[in-house]
Amino acid sequence: MTTPAAVIPPQRVKDCARKHAYDFEAVRQDFPILRQIVHGRPLVYLDNAATAQKPRCVIEAERRLYEEYYANIHRGVHDLSMKCTEAYDAAREKVRRRLNAAQAEEIVFVRGATEAVNLVAGSYGRSRVGQDDEILISALEHHSNIVPWQMLCEEKGARLRVIPMFETGELDLDALDALLGPRTRLLAITHVSNALGTVIPVREIVARAHARNVPVLVDGAQAVPHAMIDVRDIGCDFYVFSGHKAYGPSGIGALYGRRELLEAMPPYQGGGNMILSVTFEKTIYNEVPYRFEAGTPNIAGAIALGAALDYVESLGLDRIIRHEDDLMSYATDSLSSVPDLRIVGTAREKIGVISFVLEDIHPHDIGTILDHEGVAIRSGHHCAQPVMQRLGLTATARASFGLYNTREDVDALVGGIQKVIEVFA
Amino acid sequence: MATENLRELYQEVILDHSKRPRNFGELPGANRQAHGTNPLCGDQATVFLTIEENVVKDARFVGSGCAISTASASMMTEAVKGKTLTEAESLFRRFHALITNSSEPGETGAEELGKLSAFSGVCEFPVRVKCAALAWHTLRAAMQEDRRTVSTEASK
């Protein structure tokens, strides 16, 4: 008997899958946690910028690994070790494809975006930055793209400089050229602001930095879940992201580095896997990317991240982008209609995030009351205190969207905010 | 049930003090003061005290924070005025026991806490306990003449 799939050309099968991709019931069914009841209400999860929920296939990928083929990688000659190594390497290839890097060797698995920035600061930065040199960042950075550079500057006697931002949440790029000086050793900049949702024109920034021979690291933690990423088109030297915000597990992420840069960089940590040979006199380091993956890595995390990337691809990233665009416009309009609500960050191009404040009501009180309506948002400084200071705020409430959110979720948010206003009336 | 908990947390008296905090502002002539912060949410409180012969003659505060932390600071300054340092310390302990739901039987008589018992709902919201506790930890530091900034992350 011929199965239906066998008689439909492969492309048509894919098209069918896509047609059903935004059958919302089907997509939401893929995420078991969305069935949770919180304080007697169905969960409305709008804290995706903090971390995204996981589809069943990601959870399954980890379970299957541990139940069927788990072993250490790049070590054993036995069957399980080979299967496991193959799956781990395949995950690296999936990350390469997602970022459109030229080679899988340019992808280093790390714990997350934070570790990736620390790796570049600790390896590239330490070997290239000296007394009175400068590192340039922007006013929109998450603490993870500030503190590692501050630590490096402190150690080397270097200076941290900052591209300023406007009230809208956009960067003042007229200031960029003047900040790119002869002592600038690196520019580290976010792709999308985690606090305000601003999309940064990284391609243009990279071109301007490269014109001054300044390499660029792009923090893609908030971009990878929501946008097509092409590191070769952006032209950046490093690109970092976390798996957990992109529907993968926590504790895994990736660093992309241009191969010639990675090859010239000293190791970040020493240990097993990162060596070719060790004697007590001399150690010869392994090739990239293994040189930067000392010790047994997060094997299950990498494989499950690969499953998350596959899942997004199966839904169609273009469809996800269109859907989230629609949600952002709908949410912006709905929230704007609430009296006394002010949206913080009004950049022309935003993705994934809407930060807001209510007149005279603190974001934590908003967060607690929304939680009682089953609506999970983040309130606070979003690990971006300099952004808050620049805007004269101590905190905002932040709703952030993922591929499984719906207009009904936005309606629940707005209904919850009405409740907040009632409580404080 | 959910709404009941919420009403317990945001009682009228708490909402009233959060909107119109009493004793808000610096205290000229204060002889004790301390600064407290909740690093996770950015709440700030500075407590000023005038203490004469071991009695809190006056208490005021400045700061910024959520409704719970503002109301807590406001009601605290009212509650400690006229108390001896020993009584204020005892009130601190009772209040802390109330919001963390860790009181020994008979320890937190509502009659002794008075209006402060409005904060009993906080114990149902573990992440908000620090909001209610910030001003009180800062008060304690001021009474003990501890000049270090109080942090809700250090004071377990």
Side-chain angles (χ1 to χ4, degrees):
Chain A
M1 191 181 150
T2 319
T3 60
V7 294
I8 303 172
Q11 190 52 46
R12 287 270 310 282
V13 175
K14 209 174 170 193
D15 287 346
C16 287
R18 285 181 167 209
K19 200 163 287 169
H20 292 293
Y22 271 102
D23 165 1
F24 260 102
E25 274 321 301
V27 170
R28 294 178 67 87
Q29 290 294 325
D30 291 339
F31 291 80
I33 206 167
L34 297 180
R35 292 197 297 263
Q36 286 295 308
I37 300 293
V38 175
H39 299 298
R41 313 274 181 125
L43 169 65
V44 174
Y45 187 78
L46 295 175
D47 195 16
N48 294 282
T51 197
Q53 301 299 347
K54 318 306 171 198
R56 190 178 285 103
C57 59
V58 167
I59 301 165
E60 270 297 296
E62 286 214 30
R63 189 195 59 77
R64 274 194 42 224
L65 166 70
Y66 285 129
E67 288 187 3
E68 295 172 21
Y69 63 99
Y70 179 74
N72 212 328
I73 53 164
H74 304 136
R75 310 266 199 294
V77 294
H78 56 82
D79 184 59
L80 290 189
S81 178
M82 286 185 291
K83 280 184 177 142
C84 195
T85 302
E86 203 174 297
Y88 184 77
D89 291 344
R92 197 189 304 277
E93 167 58 22
K94 289 170 190 182
V95 174
R96 183 209 66 75
R97 200 164 67 222
R98 182 71 179 81
L99 301 182
N100 198 30
Q103 304 162 11
E105 289 75 13
E106 295 178 317
I107 305 298
V108 180
F109 279 124
V110 288
R111 277 189 294 153
T114 297
E115 188 178 43
V117 175
N118 277 280
L119 191 162
V120 176
S123 169
Y124 182 87
R126 269 184 149 171
S127 59
R128 308 273 182 122
V129 175
Q131 179 89 31
D132 299 326
D133 281 343
E134 292 174 357
I135 303 279
L136 184 57
I137 61 172
S138 91
L140 278 171
E141 301 312 313
H142 185 282
H143 296 163
S144 60
N145 205 22
I146 302 173
V147 182
W149 306 115
Q150 267 173 340
M151 289 164 68
L152 177 67
C153 286
E154 198 164 308
E155 183 187 318
K156 298 289 186 176
R159 199 149 75 101
L160 191 67
R161 304 197 72 187
V162 183
I163 305 168
M165 66 179 263
F166 298 116
E167 199 78 9
T168 56
E170 286 164 319
L171 292 180
D172 179 2
L173 293 179
D174 289 342
L176 178 62
D177 291 329
L179 285 164
L180 288 165
R183 314 277 336 204
T184 313
R185 293 291 168 260
L186 187 93
L187 166 58
I189 192 154
T190 190
H191 196 168
V192 174
S193 156
N194 76 302
L196 306 179
T198 316
V199 180
I200 304 301
V202 284
R203 193 162 172 266
E204 175 200 335
I205 290 171
V206 168
R208 285 163 70 178
H210 280 180
R212 306 291 190 89
N213 291 317
V214 174
V216 182
L217 175 143
V218 177
D219 170 3
Q222 296 295 338
V224 168
H226 309 287
M228 304 270 185
I229 310 296
D230 184 334
V231 291
R232 282 183 283 174
D233 180 57
I234 294 168
C236 56
D237 303 275
F238 301 103
Y239 196 96
V240 308
F241 78 96
S242 295
H244 71 93
K245 293 185 205 271
Y247 312 103
S250 55
I252 189 73
L255 161 69
Y256 156 80
R258 280 200 300 116
R259 186 161 187 162
E260 61 263 43
L261 286 180
L262 288 181
E263 281 182 342
M265 281 159 57
Y268 166 60
Q269 293 178 328
N273 198 39
M274 56 79 72
I275 49 86
L276 282 182
S277 77
V278 176
T279 65
F280 287 118
E281 288 70 40
K282 186 169 174 57
T283 289
I284 299 170
Y285 301 128
N286 205 339
E287 299 297 312
V288 297
Y290 310 113
R291 185 190 301 168
F292 298 106
E293 294 180 1
T296 296
N298 183 354
I299 301 168
I303 290 170
L305 171 60
L309 297 174
D310 283 347
Y311 176 77
V312 164
E313 198 174 313
S314 79
L315 295 186
L317 190 56
D318 49 341
R319 287 181 156 238
I320 293 170
I321 291 168
R322 273 204 301 280
H323 170 68
E324 291 185 356
D325 265 357
D326 171 71
L327 269 185
M328 279 293 283
S329 325
Y330 182 73
T332 304
D333 290 347
S334 304
L335 289 170
S336 302
S337 71
V338 177
D340 297 331
L341 184 148
R342 180 166 67 88
I343 291 179
V344 179
T346 51
R348 270 157 299 171
E349 217 188 323
K350 282 168 66 172
I351 48 180
V353 166
I354 300 180
S355 248
F356 61 93
V357 289
L358 286 175
E359 189 119 355
D360 297 330
I361 304 178
H362 193 279
H364 283 157
D365 297 311
I366 300 173
T368 293
I369 297 169
L370 286 179
D371 178 54
H372 269 67
E373 299 295 305
V375 181
I377 59 149
R378 170 91 186 261
S379 54
H381 52 59
H382 317 300
C383 297
Q385 283 179 325
V387 173
M388 298 293 124
Q389 285 154 12
R390 167 65 182 80
L391 298 173
L393 300 166
T394 52
T396 69
R398 179 186 71 180
S400 52
F401 305 99
L403 61 87
Y404 37 66
N405 288 122
T406 61
R407 285 183 171 219
E408 286 72 29
D409 291 345
V410 175
D411 295 341
L413 168 68
V414 173
I417 293 170
Q418 305 286 5
K419 184 75 186 275
V420 175
I421 294 169
E422 259 169 52
V423 169
F424 278 84
Chain B
M1 183 61 196
T3 308
E4 270 169 42
N5 278 348
L6 212 52
R7 286 281 164 211
E8 277 288 299
L9 180 65
Y10 292 107
Q11 292 191 26
E12 277 309 320
V13 60
I14 291 179
L15 291 175
D16 177 50
H17 276 262
S18 77
K19 289 177 202 161
R20 282 176 295 278
R22 322 297 198 266
N23 305 310
F24 188 84
E26 297 196 1
L27 177 58
N31 55 9
R32 305 278 177 88
Q33 80 175 66
H35 181 67
T37 174
N38 180 342
L40 292 186
C41 63
D43 287 0
Q44 307 267 344
T46 304
V47 172
F48 304 90
L49 302 174
T50 306
I51 291 174
E52 287 170 18
E53 293 171 353
N54 275 333
V55 173
V56 180
K57 291 289 184 191
D58 205 353
R60 292 175 71 78
F61 80 102
V62 295
S64 66
C66 62
I68 305 301
S69 81
T70 304
S72 175
S74 170
M75 290 167 72
M76 176 192 80
T77 53
E78 285 195 326
V80 297
K81 270 193 218 181
K83 295 269 192 302
T84 66
L85 292 181
T86 314
E87 286 166 345
E89 171 67 24
S90 155
L91 204 55
F92 167 91
R93 281 203 299 270
R94 286 166 196 276
F95 184 77
H96 199 264
L98 174 80
I99 60 174
T100 54
N101 202 16
S102 59
S103 52
E104 297 298 319
E107 197 182 27
T108 48
E111 68 284 356
E112 297 190 47
L113 280 165
K115 277 203 290 187
L116 296 175
S117 51
F119 287 93
S120 62
V122 174
C123 66
E124 297 293 330
F125 296 80
V127 296
R128 304 304 299 275
V129 168
K130 285 171 190 164
C131 307
L134 175 63
W136 286 88
H137 283 293
T138 310
L139 168 80
R140 193 186 219 187
M143 292 195 301
Q144 294 170 352
E145 298 189 80
D146 186 343
R147 309 298 291 185
R148 291 168 299 177
T149 293
V150 178
S151 166
T152 50
E153 292 313 288
S155 51
K156 293 292 173 197

